[in-house]
Amino acid sequence: MKIAVIGQSVFGLEVFKELRKEGHQIVGVFTIPDKDGKADPLGAEAEKDGVPVFKFPRWRLKGGAIPEVVEAYKATGAELNVLPFCSQFIPMEVIDHPARGSIIYHPSLLPRHRGASAINWTLIHGDRKCGFTVFWADDGLDTGPILLQRECDVEPDDTVNTLYNRFLFPEGVKGTVDAVRLIAEGKAPKIVQPEEGATYEGIQKKDKAKIDWNQPSQALHNWIRGNDKVPGAWAEIDGQKITFYGSTLVDNIATAGGQSLEIPGASRPGLVTKAGLVLFGNDGKTLLVKNLQFEDGKMIAAAQYFSRGTGTSVELTENEKAFADQMRVSKERAIDDSTDFFKSGAASMDVVRLVEEVKLRASGCQLQNEDMCVRKRTSTNMTVRLPHQLFVNGEFVDAEGGKTYKTINPTDGMVWDKISSVCVSVAAAKDAFEEGEWGKMNPRDRGRLIYKLADLMEEHQEELATIESMDSGAVYTLALKTHVGMSIQTFRYFAGWCDKIQGSTIPINQARPNRNLTFTRKEPIGVCAIVIPWNYPLMMLAWKTAACLAAGNTVVLKPAQVTPLTAVKFAELSARAGFPKGVINILPGSGALVGQRLADHPDVRKLGFTGSTPVGKHIMKSCAVSNVKKVSLELGGKSSARSIFSDCDMEKAVGECAVFFNKGENCIAAGRLFVEENIHDHYVQRVVWGCLTVLCWLSHTLPSLGSHKLGYLWSSARRGFRKFLTVTTSRAGFFFEPTIFTDVQDHMFIAKEESFGPIMILSKFKSGDVEEVLRRANATEYGLASGVFTRDIGKALLVSEKLNAGTVFVNTYNKTDVAAPFGGFKQSGFGKDLGKRRCLWVEFPSHRFSRPG
């Protein structure tokens, strides 16, 4: 169909993209004018795709349609108008013009909550159900016939944001596209809206969001969460307006030691506790508020209300005040209300604009280390809900004897959950494979389930990133973009392989005259055990689990003992996606107990392991002795080094050193670098200067691991080379100092042993001696990844061919993609994760070359 999309925002953008994927012709996009030179996301995407874009500031003037605007619209020849999200008033001359009419998305279950702020009112009224409606536009306010409706449950602590992100946005996009599909097929209904139960509420504004304290706790909670973020529920305390955010209903909360806070109109004073601000309804029940905002815009944790004024104020000079004003203008110009700064990450053009402008304006300033750094964000002001039991046969169950162990937040060293441990049940996975519906399922249906699981992970990506950050110590932005983002991509990639796994026919001598036919079939192997590490908990789960499921196997997975929480959250999402019982099983616990039992179990047919080489060897032995089960190993060890030649692009060679990525806890971290002699000192200077902008790098959760790294440095320091840089940190939690060693000789301890932390090892090689650097780089029993930096393509091809490593990077480093196989040579393991088949790929600035591995 020829469709006109009328609206704005990221929601409108996603609908636009999906309609194009469905094969519809978008004849015009009608959106709002640019704001401060920045186009709306929908308009920007349409312009990029070459679709005509119209940015009318208004469609009506003095009560009537503007003729020029209406004529411009009619000239597109649209057969259907789709209004996914539109803040403008569209005249009926436009609404009624297309042959197939106009449809509108509305975020409520009409006829309830007509008008604006529908999501807010859904929560304020305490509705048990939330949903959206796609309806046929008419001349009333959200009164047209219903085409399609979908609903979800409202959770006790849902906010406008959580409802929108979990359901109204992703399902709303799908529902709008489904509605268009029904229209195209001639199956779209027109159900007259009933007047019974109809409500209309206006736009919820700040002046109307004041809290009425003479209500039960549930009503107070609904009011605060219904106004969360915009416009914000507020009350007068100590003579100023205080806005409340992050409300939860609580029972039996500890109030000992809490400080009383008088709140005018409340049935009793609030209590400021370590957990937050405890409030009381007129029924005596309690709710907890996590954050407060003052009239000047300052936001604090509610627990800090009485300590907010204890800091030392900073007096700025007039020049400093002027500079601060310039920075504020830069921020407001680059980042608007629609920008999620942390979710955008460094690739966002909003963030790029801000960084570049700040760099330009601050070029005359001498900055201290603390002035320019990306602060670690470990939470998103959300209440995280996750199971803490084993997941076996589609259910969360306690471990044998009810055993649990503590899991620790590495940012502060505090225990934040207890998890069940010790139970190995392979029988459920075996039964699901041999007798259950999974083994009989059509591959395409299997793919649909995996796609659905990926969609659910995307809906919960912020929650998963928060859990990953708090459990593994990953910086929140990295957890969101890489740990979680690539996990979602992995499941989607392998979902597409489900119905493409096939064998082949083989021509044989007996084919004629006997008409014999020989062919091969690729069949699932059965129960696959997976044992994963702690550096990328969710991503390692995805890399191994997605391929097993795509092939039709069942899975028993043991997450790392110290980072089990995203795995059990993943189990919850798999159940919601509809996976049959027993297909996915998650067993937290120690490697010595749970991992060993999996390696020994006779019903496990394949075991995939990522971890250390010594443990990998032990697993191979156990798998051979038990039932000769198949094994794939992605092991550590000191990988082949990265070689930096004098003709390299110095900016890239320094900028992509990749040693400190993910705190250095990275299996392909370029821990050892060979630098050509004639540029060595300059390269060291550049790297050290770059590291001075690093505030601190987080090590992992266990003190024993930190002790391992300290022991590594202590042992290294006796070997007689320079410890060039250590950035000192002093704060609670488990942290480790970034360190650079130079003048490292091949025989030294740190040249051979993997640190698995933020430690860079630098060695020289003679200028022009390619053979020397190849010999030294390959003089190791390990070979997971290596790299080369040079502008000489001939040298790049020679070095990449001769390096003994599963992956070789050229003029880049630490790049992975779900379609590119990943695995090691020699004692770094065998077998490949990701991709279709074994291969080795190397990347150039604008070209990619592949060869068999």
Side-chain angles (χ1 to χ4, degrees):
M1 283 189 297
K2 295 181 178 180
I3 297 175
V5 177
I6 304 174
Q8 64 211 66
S9 79
V10 176
F11 185 91
L13 162 65
E14 292 301 318
V15 170
F16 166 81
K17 288 162 61 176
E18 293 302 316
L19 289 175
R20 283 174 63 87
K21 287 180 185 178
E22 293 270 316
H24 298 292
Q25 180 185 356
I26 310 300
V27 295
V29 165
F30 297 83
T31 188
I32 57 176
D34 295 356
K35 179 182 177 183
D36 296 327
K38 181 181 177 183
D40 178 80
L42 170 59
E45 182 72 16
E47 287 175 338
K48 186 175 70 175
D49 290 349
V51 174
V53 176
F54 305 85
K55 301 178 181 180
F56 301 131
R58 62 181 62 85
W59 294 71
R60 292 163 52 90
L61 187 64
K62 297 181 179 179
I66 301 174
E68 297 84 355
V69 172
V70 174
E71 288 306 313
Y73 159 77
K74 289 182 177 180
T76 64
E79 300 173 295
L80 174 72
N81 291 334
V82 176
L83 287 73
F85 173 76
C86 183
S87 63
Q88 295 178 309
F89 192 91
I90 309 301
M92 292 307 298
E93 290 89 336
V94 172
I95 294 295
D96 291 338
H97 179 74
R100 294 178 181 256
S102 300
I103 60 171
I104 302 177
Y105 167 89
H106 184 77
S108 80
L109 295 171
L110 294 174
R112 193 159 174 78
H113 307 307
R114 292 171 176 164
S117 304
I119 315 174
N120 303 71
W121 291 108
T122 296
L123 293 168
I124 291 170
H125 285 281
D127 293 359
R128 299 293 181 89
K129 296 286 185 181
C130 170
F132 63 85
T133 304
V134 179
F135 68 96
W136 298 94
D138 66 1
D139 58 358
L141 184 60
D142 304 330
T143 57
I146 294 170
L147 191 163
L148 177 150
Q149 283 189 327
R150 289 179 184 162
E151 65 178 37
C152 71
D153 293 331
V154 177
E155 300 293 338
D157 296 325
D158 265 329
T159 63
V160 173
N161 270 1
T162 61
L163 281 176
Y164 186 72
N165 292 333
R166 185 179 81 243
F167 184 80
L168 295 173
F169 181 96
E171 294 301 321
V173 171
K174 294 176 187 176
T176 305
V177 175
D178 287 347
V180 173
R181 189 181 300 123
L182 290 172
I183 294 171
E185 295 171 351
K187 300 177 182 178
K190 291 187 177 182
I191 304 169
V192 176
Q193 288 191 36
E195 283 306 311
E196 183 180 356
T199 63
Y200 171 81
E201 298 93 0
I203 296 176
Q204 184 64 346
K205 297 182 178 179
K206 190 73 173 183
D207 60 346
K208 298 179 181 178
K210 186 175 182 180
I211 300 171
D212 175 8
W213 294 106
N214 188 28
Q215 300 182 84
S217 59
Q218 178 70 62
L220 292 175
H221 169 62
N222 289 341
W223 185 263
I224 294 172
R225 66 176 177 148
N227 287 284
D228 208 307
K229 190 174 182 181
V230 177
W234 60 276
E236 290 188 3
I237 303 177
D238 292 336
Q240 62 175 314
K241 288 183 179 179
I242 306 293
T243 304
F244 296 73
Y245 297 101
S247 171
T248 54
L249 289 170
V250 292
D251 293 320
N252 303 319
I253 188 169
T255 58
Q259 291 181 265
S260 178
L261 178 63
E262 290 293 334
I263 302 176
S267 58
R268 53 186 289 190
L271 287 173
V272 177
T273 70
K274 291 181 179 179
L277 174 58
V278 178
L279 301 172
F280 299 86
N282 60 11
D283 56 357
K285 296 182 179 179
T286 54
L287 59 148
L288 182 72
V289 168
K290 294 291 184 67
N291 298 297
L292 302 173
Q293 186 175 36
F294 296 89
E295 289 180 276
D296 61 2
K298 181 181 179 182
M299 178 90 75
I300 66 167
Q304 299 172 356
Y305 182 84
F306 286 113
S307 59
R308 68 188 189 280
T310 58
T312 302
S313 61
V314 178
E315 294 293 331
L316 301 179
T317 66
E318 291 303 316
N319 287 340
E320 289 170 337
K321 289 177 181 177
F323 180 74
D325 289 339
Q326 291 177 358
M327 293 299 100
R328 194 173 296 110
V329 169
S330 297
K331 183 261 182 186
E332 291 172 353
R333 178 159 50 239
I335 308 293
D336 65 20
D337 292 339
S338 67
T339 301
D340 186 331
F341 189 97
F342 284 97
K343 185 174 178 180
S344 296
S348 162
M349 287 309 299
D350 290 335
V351 179
V352 170
R353 275 195 298 269
L354 176 62
V355 170
E356 290 304 314
E357 187 160 349
V358 169
K359 282 168 62 179
L360 178 64
R361 292 183 180 275
S363 59
C365 299
Q366 184 173 359
L367 301 176
Q368 301 274 334
N369 293 347
E370 292 81 7
D371 290 337
M372 287 193 71
C373 65
V374 176
R375 299 287 180 180
K376 182 177 184 293
R377 183 172 118 167
T378 56
S379 69
T380 50
N381 291 327
M382 64 169 60
T383 300
V384 175
R385 298 185 184 87
L386 70 159
H388 57 271
Q389 298 168 290
L390 312 171
F391 186 73
V392 178
N393 202 27
E395 297 179 348
F396 286 101
V397 297
D398 290 330
E400 297 168 358
K403 294 180 181 178
T404 63
Y405 67 90
K406 297 174 181 177
T407 182
I408 297 170
N409 183 341
T411 62
D412 55 17
M414 301 296 291
V415 175
W416 76 291
D417 202 357
K418 290 184 178 180
I419 195 98
S420 290
S421 173
V422 190
C423 170
V424 179
S425 177
V426 175
K430 183 173 185 286
D431 186 65
F433 178 76
E434 295 180 351
E435 306 295 337
E437 59 180 297
W438 181 253
K440 305 177 182 68
M441 189 176 291
N442 179 291
R444 200 160 295 171
D445 292 336
R446 193 163 66 235
R448 288 194 187 99
L449 268 184
I450 300 174
Y451 274 124
K452 186 174 182 181
L453 174 59
D455 290 344
L456 278 171
M457 292 174 69
E458 188 169 52
E459 289 175 31
H460 291 263
Q461 61 182 329
E462 293 189 349
E463 185 178 7
L464 287 166
T466 300
I467 296 169
E468 189 91 333
S469 179
M470 296 178 73
D471 201 26
S472 75
V475 175
Y476 176 81
T477 47
L478 179 68
L480 186 68
K481 301 287 282 188
T482 301
H483 290 231
V484 178
M486 192 173 187
S487 300
I488 296 167
Q489 292 175 27
T490 302
F491 278 101
R492 286 191 173 137
Y493 174 79
F494 281 105
W497 274 110
C498 288
D499 59 355
K500 300 173 185 67
I501 301 170
Q502 53 193 333
S504 60
T505 58
I506 302 173
I508 59 173
N509 289 340
Q510 292 83 11
R512 291 174 180 166
N514 298 328
R515 298 182 180 275
N516 292 336
L517 173 67
T518 302
F519 61 91
T520 62
R521 291 182 58 187
K522 292 186 178 180
E523 298 182 347
I525 194 170
V527 178
C528 295
I530 297 171
V531 180
I532 57 174
W534 43 259
N535 56 331
Y536 293 97
L538 186 63
M539 197 168 79
M540 291 296 97
L541 176 154
W543 281 23
K544 297 187 183 297
T545 303
C548 291
L549 296 175
N553 300 293
T554 56
V555 169
V556 180
L557 181 137
K558 189 202 87 64
Q561 185 176 8
V562 294
T563 55
L565 298 181
T566 42
V568 292
K569 184 65 182 181
F570 168 82
E572 176 192 302
L573 297 178
S574 73
R576 290 178 57 180
F579 275 77
K581 292 183 177 181
V583 174
I584 295 172
N585 305 273
I586 306 295
L587 306 179
S590 71
L593 183 55
V594 180
Q596 184 63 56
R597 290 191 189 180
L598 290 173
D600 292 337
H601 205 292
D603 290 331
V604 173
R605 296 298 173 188
K606 169 78 182 284
L607 191 147
F609 170 74
T610 295
S612 71
T613 298
V615 174
K617 291 178 178 180
H618 181 81
I619 285 174
M620 281 187 70
K621 181 178 179 180
S622 297
C623 290
V625 171
S626 59
N627 61 341
V628 200
K629 59 174 64 69
K630 290 179 177 289
V631 182
S632 61
L633 304 172
E634 194 259 276
L635 306 177
K638 198 77 167 184
S639 283
S640 304
R642 196 175 57 152
S643 304
I644 300 173
F645 290 90
S646 58
D647 62 351
C648 70
D649 181 331
M650 184 62 72
E651 293 297 326
K652 289 182 70 68
V654 172
E656 301 201 27
C657 64
V659 178
F660 302 132
F661 185 81
N662 199 49
K663 308 152 289 169
E665 295 169 346
N666 194 17
C667 55
I668 58 172
R672 189 178 186 196
L673 283 74
F674 287 106
V675 183
E676 197 160 6
E677 194 172 41
N678 57 349
I679 63 165
H680 175 271
D681 292 348
H682 177 59
Y683 182 81
V684 171
Q685 183 182 28
R686 291 289 304 273
V687 169
V688 170
W689 177 251
C691 289
L692 287 172
T693 63
V694 178
L695 179 63
C696 60
W697 292 93
L698 181 62
S699 185
H700 195 255
T701 53
L702 289 184
S704 61
L705 183 64
S707 298
H708 157 71
K709 289 179 183 171
L710 293 174
Y712 181 95
L713 291 189
W714 178 81
S715 178
S716 303
R718 298 178 299 161
R719 299 317 203 260
F721 46 77
R722 288 196 296 164
K723 181 181 177 186
F724 204 95
L725 170 73
T726 296
V727 179
T728 304
T729 68
S730 57
R731 55 183 296 179
F734 303 114
F735 290 79
F736 190 82
E737 302 171 344
T739 304
I740 297 174
F741 288 102
T742 62
D743 301 331
V744 177
Q745 303 303 311
D746 295 356
H747 67 276
M748 292 178 176
F749 176 79
I750 57 173
K752 302 183 210 177
E753 292 297 320
E754 183 180 29
S755 66
F756 217 66
I759 300 171
M760 180 185 286
I761 311 299
L762 289 167
S763 301
K764 298 178 186 177
F765 69 92
K766 294 178 183 177
S767 297
D769 198 338
V770 177
E771 293 300 323
E772 178 205 352
V773 74
L774 282 171
R775 176 184 57 77
R776 294 172 65 188
N778 287 331
T780 173
E781 272 302 300
Y782 305 105
L784 189 57
S786 189
V788 54
F789 277 76
T790 176
R791 285 190 171 96
D792 184 336
I793 191 169
K795 188 188 298 179
L797 288 172
L798 171 66
V799 173
S800 63
E801 180 181 354
K802 297 293 185 180
L803 284 170
N804 296 328
T807 302
V808 177
F809 298 98
V810 178
N811 294 330
T812 186
Y813 205 82
N814 200 42
K815 301 295 193 300
T816 53
D817 187 272
V818 294
F822 182 88
F825 286 1
K826 299 186 285 190
Q827 291 194 45
S828 288
F830 53 83
K832 299 289 182 181
D833 290 324
L834 306 177
K836 179 183 178 183
R837 64 185 182 90
R838 282 185 66 170
C839 74
L840 169 67
W841 63 267
V842 297
E843 185 176 302
F844 290 83
S846 59
H847 302 283
R848 176 175 291 175
F849 299 86
S850 298
R851 67 176 174 85

